[in-house]
Amino acid sequence: MMSVNFSLGRLLWRYNGYIPRGNFARLKLTTACDCFFRSLNKDILKSGPCRTFMISNSLNSSDSSNSPEFNDVHHDRLLDSIQIMKAGLKERKPGEPHRVFVLQPHIKSGPRKGSSWNPKLQLDESISLVRTLKWTILDSAVYSTTQPGKKTIFGKGTYGNITERLADVPGLTAVFISLDRLNSIQQKELEDCWKVAIYDRYSLVLEIFKLHARTREAKLQIALAEIPLLRSRLLLKDENFDQQSGAQRYIGGGGETFLEVRQRVLAEREIKIKKSLRNLQMKRGLLRKERAMKQFPVISVVGYTNAGKTSLIRKLTGDADLQPKDELFATLDVTSHRGTLPNGMSAIFVDTVGFISNLPHDLIASFSATLEDVLLSDVIIHVRDVSHPDTEAQKANVLRVLQDLGLSETLLGNMMEVCNKSDLLTDSLPAHDGGQSHLISATEGTGIEDLKTSIQEHILSVTDTVVCTLRIPMNGGHLQWLYREASVQRQRVLEGETEHLLVDVVMSLRCDARFRARFGNLIYNRRSS
């Protein structure tokens, strides 16, 4: 089959010399690209790393009626052209999973040294990431390095050994190098030498996110996270398309090079995605405002990926629609679930995306709109998998990410720690800071009731919430005011009473003061603790 790069190169030379000059020339280039893409089999676009920007096309098709800003067909064609020229060097059949060699670098020195992580356990985690995508793992290995920033990542001897080992692996189509992010020089060097697709943690986690994304917001955030990845790898792709002649022969100058066209397309797409995310962020703000008016305390559940956050929320809320999965990043879309505490008070439990080690800052920043719920919550529950051998390193990683997100010192100080999966412990539980951890098993329900009581006490202490029963007249405006300003849990009539109601209410101290100023002290029973 004629190579995609060669076909596109011939196309550009035939239709426009080799550079787009002026508006009319760019129009011819776009028309040529349209003809070229229509002639391609769609399966080519869906194979290998070409999938990277197909998320943007899926957004166009699914949300075209609601998002006219994503209907620019020419932009989509050019974005796909970036990916076609980045296609995998060893072809796969359409829909066929990658056959992967998992390469875990063990950094022995330097600022990127992972002193708290066991390299064997890191390799196990890397293998789990690949298996989440249902890709086939042909082999795996740990290799030491002292200079992960150099072009080949490893020393000359180690690099040669790895190259020989990869050559002996039959049917290999991709190598996963478990570093946070490879630069464009490393990417090109390794692809040229090994002739397979190269993935780092950034690109692999993005593939997992695409697999699990369900809502429009999640898809937009993934598309935003892909843009820095593509932009960093444009400079070393197809340098022969980026020549530009002198401007004296053309009115208005020599025009844009093909590289500049792609850079502009990415910049315009980034602006549009950020605009759409801001609109969704405004809608989230309205929902948070409504919760605040209802006096619902918000409890965000965070933790390392696959620590059992969704399982815990299902136990706390009784929400049967929640279906926990034993895989990494099973939850990507932040969801809210209403639960009831022992005193009858309602609370909102927010399920969040899991964290993982060596996750690039750009990827976290792309999900800042979603993680804003964590920053504005009343209480944070940190769920830990205490059965994992590297549980302490996972805890340190989660706390570091929360600090990078700008979590306030108050929230960090009031954070509750829940040690999950106690049913999988073979040894005694290791000592924890101040004995403040709650040992539970979300699958078996061990320790859940005690945890609910602790959450209730924690909320009452940090939110200045008043839980009380009021005795109010039936014919006054008291009940209407309470429904509007507070959270009414229950109302009932005492035996023999014909003129008064007993109303269980949750409200803030400020709301309580306003009620007493307007109607007087009608508290029948106060249950603040």
Side-chain angles (χ1 to χ4, degrees):
M1 180 186 292
M2 183 184 300
S3 70
V4 175
N5 286 357
F6 181 64
S7 300
L8 185 57
R10 286 184 55 188
L11 178 74
L12 294 177
W13 276 85
R14 177 181 177 185
Y15 278 87
N16 203 43
Y18 50 83
I19 53 173
R21 304 182 182 95
N23 292 333
F24 181 68
R26 282 197 294 271
L27 178 61
K28 289 199 297 180
L29 170 64
T30 305
T31 305
C33 284
D34 284 339
C35 296
F36 174 71
F37 286 115
R38 280 196 294 268
S39 66
L40 285 175
N41 191 311
K42 293 182 179 179
D43 292 331
I44 296 178
L45 292 176
K46 296 180 181 179
S47 62
C50 287
R51 287 187 64 242
T52 307
F53 225 95
M54 291 301 291
I55 187 71
S56 300
N57 292 338
S58 67
L59 280 170
N60 295 340
S61 60
S62 61
D63 298 308
S64 57
S65 60
N66 298 327
S67 301
E69 68 268 24
F70 282 104
N71 289 335
D72 192 337
V73 178
H74 295 159
H75 278 199
D76 290 340
R77 297 301 192 191
L78 288 172
L79 288 169
D80 285 334
S81 75
I82 295 172
Q83 290 312 115
I84 287 181
M85 289 181 285
K86 185 178 171 287
L89 297 169
K90 286 192 177 180
E91 293 184 359
R92 295 177 296 147
K93 294 180 181 178
E96 180 182 357
H98 264 303
R99 298 178 294 279
V100 188
F101 185 100
V102 180
L103 184 56
Q104 177 63 57
H106 176 40
I107 304 174
K108 289 190 170 182
S109 62
R112 298 171 72 178
K113 178 183 178 182
S115 57
S116 60
W117 292 91
N118 184 308
K120 178 62 171 64
L121 295 175
Q122 282 185 298
L123 178 61
D124 292 340
E125 182 179 271
S126 301
I127 291 174
S128 298
L129 284 170
V130 176
R131 285 176 176 165
T132 302
L133 289 168
K134 312 301 182 185
W135 291 354
T136 303
I137 298 176
L138 300 181
D139 201 356
S140 62
V142 177
Y143 284 94
S144 299
T145 181
T146 57
Q147 295 178 307
K150 66 184 299 185
K151 184 166 64 172
T152 58
I153 301 175
F154 302 94
K156 185 176 180 180
T158 303
Y159 183 66
N161 293 336
I162 295 173
T163 302
E164 292 177 1
R165 184 168 179 177
L166 293 179
D168 295 334
V169 179
L172 184 69
T173 62
V175 173
F176 171 41
I177 302 177
S178 188
L179 288 175
D180 52 356
R181 187 165 175 180
L182 303 178
N183 59 47
S184 56
I185 297 176
Q186 292 172 326
Q187 184 87 15
K188 181 174 177 61
E189 176 69 22
L190 298 177
E191 283 183 352
D192 290 346
C193 179
W194 295 341
K195 305 301 182 186
V196 295
I198 304 297
Y199 288 89
D200 53 20
R201 290 177 80 90
Y202 191 103
S203 55
L204 194 80
V205 169
L206 273 179
E207 292 290 333
I208 298 174
F209 282 1
K210 293 180 204 173
L211 185 67
H212 293 162
R214 295 293 178 267
T215 64
R216 179 169 176 264
E217 184 175 14
K219 294 176 182 178
L220 282 170
Q221 290 176 122
I222 292 169
L224 180 63
E226 283 180 310
I227 290 177
L229 185 68
L230 292 174
R231 183 180 286 128
S232 68
R233 294 171 183 173
L234 280 181
L235 293 177
L236 297 179
K237 300 291 180 183
D238 309 286
E239 296 89 341
N240 56 311
F241 293 148
D242 295 321
Q243 303 296 321
Q244 189 176 54
S245 62
Q248 66 274 12
R249 294 174 54 195
Y250 307 100
I251 298 175
E256 295 175 296
T257 65
F258 192 58
L259 171 64
E260 290 171 341
V261 170
R262 290 181 290 171
Q263 289 176 330
R264 176 174 54 80
V265 168
L266 287 177
E268 292 173 356
R269 175 56 59 94
E270 184 177 22
I271 292 172
K272 292 176 181 179
I273 293 174
K274 287 182 176 180
K275 181 179 178 181
S276 296
L277 282 173
R278 282 195 297 271
N279 293 336
L280 291 174
Q281 196 171 0
M282 291 175 60
K283 294 180 181 179
R284 280 186 172 273
L286 293 175
L287 291 175
R288 283 193 293 266
K289 185 176 180 181
E290 185 176 349
R291 291 176 195 161
M293 291 178 62
K294 292 291 185 180
Q295 306 293 322
F296 288 150
V298 178
I299 305 164
S300 293
V301 182
V302 302
Y304 208 79
T305 182
N306 204 29
K309 299 180 293 296
T310 304
S311 299
L312 175 60
I313 293 178
R314 182 177 183 179
K315 281 292 182 183
L316 292 173
T317 63
D319 190 345
D321 293 334
L322 282 172
Q323 297 297 329
K325 297 179 181 178
D326 186 17
E327 59 184 27
L328 303 182
F329 296 110
T331 300
L332 182 59
D333 302 307
V334 173
T335 55
S336 301
H337 310 271
R338 181 172 176 174
T340 304
L341 299 179
N343 62 3
M345 178 172 59
S346 296
I348 303 296
F349 292 87
V350 179
D351 194 5
T352 62
V353 60
F355 301 138
I356 198 169
S357 64
N358 298 326
L359 200 60
H361 181 74
D362 289 343
L363 193 54
I364 299 173
S366 299
F367 284 80
S368 58
T370 297
L371 294 172
E372 188 178 13
D373 286 322
V374 178
L375 304 180
L376 300 177
S377 56
D378 298 303
V379 175
I380 293 179
I381 296 178
H382 176 199
V383 182
R384 295 177 54 188
D385 177 5
V386 289
S387 66
H388 194 280
D390 253 355
T391 180
E392 291 297 331
Q394 290 183 351
K395 173 184 176 180
N397 181 267
V398 171
L399 295 179
R400 183 167 57 252
V401 173
L402 290 176
Q403 290 174 343
D404 291 342
L405 287 172
L407 196 67
S408 66
E409 292 295 330
T410 303
L411 273 176
L412 280 174
N414 292 329
M415 186 163 52
M416 299 180 64
E417 185 175 284
V418 175
C419 297
N420 192 24
K421 302 188 181 181
S422 62
D423 54 306
L424 301 180
L425 283 176
T426 55
D427 302 324
S428 58
L429 182 68
H432 295 282
D433 298 338
Q436 298 299 317
S437 300
H438 300 271
L439 184 62
I440 68 160
S441 172
T443 55
E444 296 185 354
T446 307
I448 295 298
E449 294 303 320
D450 292 339
L451 177 61
K452 283 184 178 181
T453 303
S454 297
I455 293 173
Q456 171 184 296
E457 295 172 352
H458 206 67
I459 289 175
L460 293 176
S461 64
V462 302
T463 60
D464 295 326
T465 303
V466 176
V467 182
C468 61
T469 301
L470 301 175
R471 183 173 179 270
I472 61 174
M474 291 184 179
N475 57 357
H478 305 67
L479 188 61
Q480 182 181 2
W481 190 94
L482 288 172
Y483 269 108
R484 186 175 67 251
E485 302 293 339
S487 177
V488 177
Q489 305 295 306
R490 186 178 57 160
Q491 54 178 307
R492 61 193 184 277
V493 178
L494 285 176
E495 186 177 353
E497 274 279 4
T498 58
E499 297 183 356
H500 291 83
L501 287 173
L502 291 184
V503 182
D504 296 335
V505 180
V506 178
M507 53 186 171
S508 64
L509 287 176
R510 180 181 177 184
C511 184
D512 179 45
R514 287 166 52 208
F515 179 84
R516 285 188 282 109
R518 181 166 183 171
F519 299 109
N521 189 2
L522 301 178
I523 293 180
Y524 180 81
N525 182 25
R526 181 183 291 270
R527 296 168 287 145
S528 298
S529 60

